[in-house]
Amino acid sequence: MLAYWANDRTFEASVKAREGGPEFVFYDGPPFANGLPHYGHLLTGYVKDAVPRYKTMRGWRVERRFGWDCHGLPAEMEAVRELELPGRVDIERYGVGRFNDYCRTSVLRYRNEWERYVNRQARWVDFSNDYKTMDMSYMESVMWAFRRLWDRGLLYEGQRVLPYCWECETPLSNFETRMDNAYRERQDPAVTVWFELTGLPGDHALARLAGGRPVRLLVWTTTPWTLPSNLALAVGSEVTYSVLAGEGAVYLLARDRSEALAPVLEDALPGLAEVGTVAGRELAGLRYRPIFDFFSGQPNAFVVLTADFVSTEEGTGVVHLAPGFGEDDQRACEQAGIGVVCPVDSRARFTAEVPTY
């Protein structure tokens, strides 16, 4: 059947027969060509074939050009492995121009295999008139479209938290972090720290339960290195928090987490006993003393917020927010008028904003 289609030029005829008719433009999100097709490519390939065939049978003229995505980390990481250049400094020493040339030659290494796979799955697409994202005409067309958006006032500049690779010194797309072998199982240290409330109103339920003792919120985090950038805390508005009295202070954590954390608390703060409970919504707006003074002058910061992403499935039910290092953190803080701080450089090392480290 494939041989018959090729000799008969059936696909080409299906397009040419509709010259002058209405055009259905099909933009195919192109794959990377520096690896063989996998199940995901083949599955979406059937969908990409079915839609243009249907529109063709309805009388539309549908040109289908195959494309190649030549940019991004997949091509670069392959070149890094083959050239044995472990980091950005090594690439710059090798020469960015030479490195780009190598990427260009390697990016279409599996072109013939791709064409064989796509033809074998009976997909009709034009390989002879394909396009590559590294073509100058393609890149210029992208910049042209970008300029049109700018002229219409449709662009804005903002900040967004993304996965980041300190070895490549570049952000990663969420897609790239889900690629094969992107995740490694590893064990990292987690810490539980307390943040002490300040200026607690005397008529607040907590003040009555504390009886003049300091009130401290227990916070658990798996990213201790973000603590110098802490600007807020989040609690669940409907979560019930235990008020635990100890020697010289009282401590708060989600009541649903008390049993799971009992061994840790007994070891670190022996003799705690519950003297009452408060709802998370009662904690909203309370202020606390920052555990580091690096950003103590940050406007609107160091306040307890309520957030719907706070859960009692792990941790203490109180979430530490560092808006430069978490999507939820950033959204919650921006809504409270708290800006972003990100005191790390391109190699993920602390900057002079955090001189101690």
Side-chain angles (χ1 to χ4, degrees):
M1 181 58 71
L2 291 176
Y4 174 80
W5 282 344
N7 293 330
D8 183 62
R9 300 185 65 80
T10 313
F11 166 48
E12 293 81 354
S14 73
V15 177
K16 190 172 183 180
R18 287 155 181 80
E19 290 272 3
E23 186 178 19
F24 179 80
V25 179
F26 183 77
Y27 290 110
D28 182 355
F32 289 104
N34 67 328
L36 293 173
H38 56 64
Y39 171 82
H41 295 120
L42 300 175
L43 179 64
T44 56
Y46 287 116
V47 180
K48 292 174 180 180
D49 191 53
V51 172
R53 281 179 186 268
Y54 173 77
K55 298 301 288 189
T56 299
M57 289 189 290
R58 299 291 292 178
W60 296 73
R61 182 171 179 269
V62 190
E63 289 190 359
R64 281 154 269 175
R65 295 175 61 189
F66 204 80
W68 305 102
D69 190 345
C70 307
H71 290 110
L73 281 182
E76 293 166 11
M77 293 305 291
E78 187 74 17
V80 161
R81 280 191 290 270
E82 293 174 359
L83 294 172
E84 298 182 351
L85 302 172
R88 176 172 173 170
V89 173
D90 301 280
I91 294 173
E92 291 175 344
R93 191 179 295 121
Y94 178 81
V96 173
R98 287 176 65 199
F99 182 76
N100 286 344
D101 288 339
Y102 188 89
C103 289
R104 288 188 189 96
T105 59
S106 69
V107 77
L108 295 178
R109 182 174 299 162
Y110 298 103
R111 185 188 185 283
N112 292 336
E113 285 84 351
W114 269 90
E115 185 168 356
R116 183 173 65 84
Y117 270 96
V118 172
N119 284 335
R120 189 71 186 87
Q121 69 174 141
R123 180 181 171 190
W124 282 358
V125 65
D126 185 358
F127 275 96
S128 61
N129 190 31
D130 58 2
Y131 72 90
K132 296 174 283 294
T133 60
M134 63 182 177
D135 293 341
M136 190 61 69
S137 59
Y138 179 88
M139 291 190 285
E140 288 178 346
S141 73
V142 173
M143 295 309 297
W144 174 87
F146 191 77
R147 177 56 192 257
R148 299 285 82 75
L149 294 172
W150 169 268
D151 290 340
R152 297 178 187 181
L154 298 175
L155 299 181
Y156 71 93
E157 183 177 1
Q159 291 176 308
R160 184 179 179 187
V161 175
L162 289 170
Y164 186 81
C165 174
W166 58 84
E167 185 178 20
C168 305
E169 297 186 43
T170 180
L172 304 173
S173 71
N174 288 327
F175 165 77
E176 285 167 332
T177 63
R178 295 187 180 96
M179 289 194 308
D180 295 342
N181 302 319
Y183 283 107
R184 287 179 295 176
E185 290 292 330
R186 58 179 296 166
Q187 188 169 346
D188 276 346
V191 299
T192 301
V193 297
W194 74 63
F195 291 80
E196 193 166 304
L197 295 179
T198 60
L200 185 64
D203 59 349
H204 196 282
L206 263 182
R208 293 193 297 271
L209 292 169
R213 289 168 292 190
V215 180
R216 297 165 175 171
L217 276 64
L218 292 173
V219 175
W220 177 80
T221 177
T222 57
T223 56
W225 53 272
T226 64
L227 285 170
S229 307
N230 169 266
L231 295 182
L233 300 176
V235 296
S237 60
E238 302 304 316
V239 175
T240 299
Y241 290 85
S242 290
V243 182
L244 305 174
E247 187 177 344
V250 297
Y251 300 86
L252 271 72
L253 80 160
R255 196 175 199 185
D256 289 347
R257 298 296 301 159
S258 298
E259 184 177 348
L261 294 172
V264 177
L265 294 175
E266 183 59 32
D267 182 52
L269 300 167
L272 291 182
E274 185 178 277
V275 295
T277 62
V278 293
R281 58 183 174 275
E282 297 179 78
L283 304 176
L286 297 179
R287 308 199 71 81
Y288 64 91
R289 184 179 298 109
I291 58 175
F292 296 100
D293 61 3
F294 305 125
F295 301 103
S296 56
Q298 198 74 4
N300 305 318
F302 312 112
V303 63
V304 180
L305 310 174
T306 57
D308 57 9
F309 54 79
V310 177
S311 77
T312 57
E313 295 178 6
E314 59 182 8
T316 63
V318 184
V319 178
H320 129 71
L321 301 181
F325 299 106
E327 292 179 89
D328 288 333
D329 306 43
Q330 184 185 10
R331 281 193 294 268
C333 286
E334 284 184 344
Q335 290 171 5
I338 302 170
V340 172
V341 297
C342 186
V344 294
D345 64 14
S346 63
R347 296 180 66 184
R349 301 171 302 185
F350 281 121
T351 65
E353 293 175 287
V354 185
T356 310
Y357 303 109

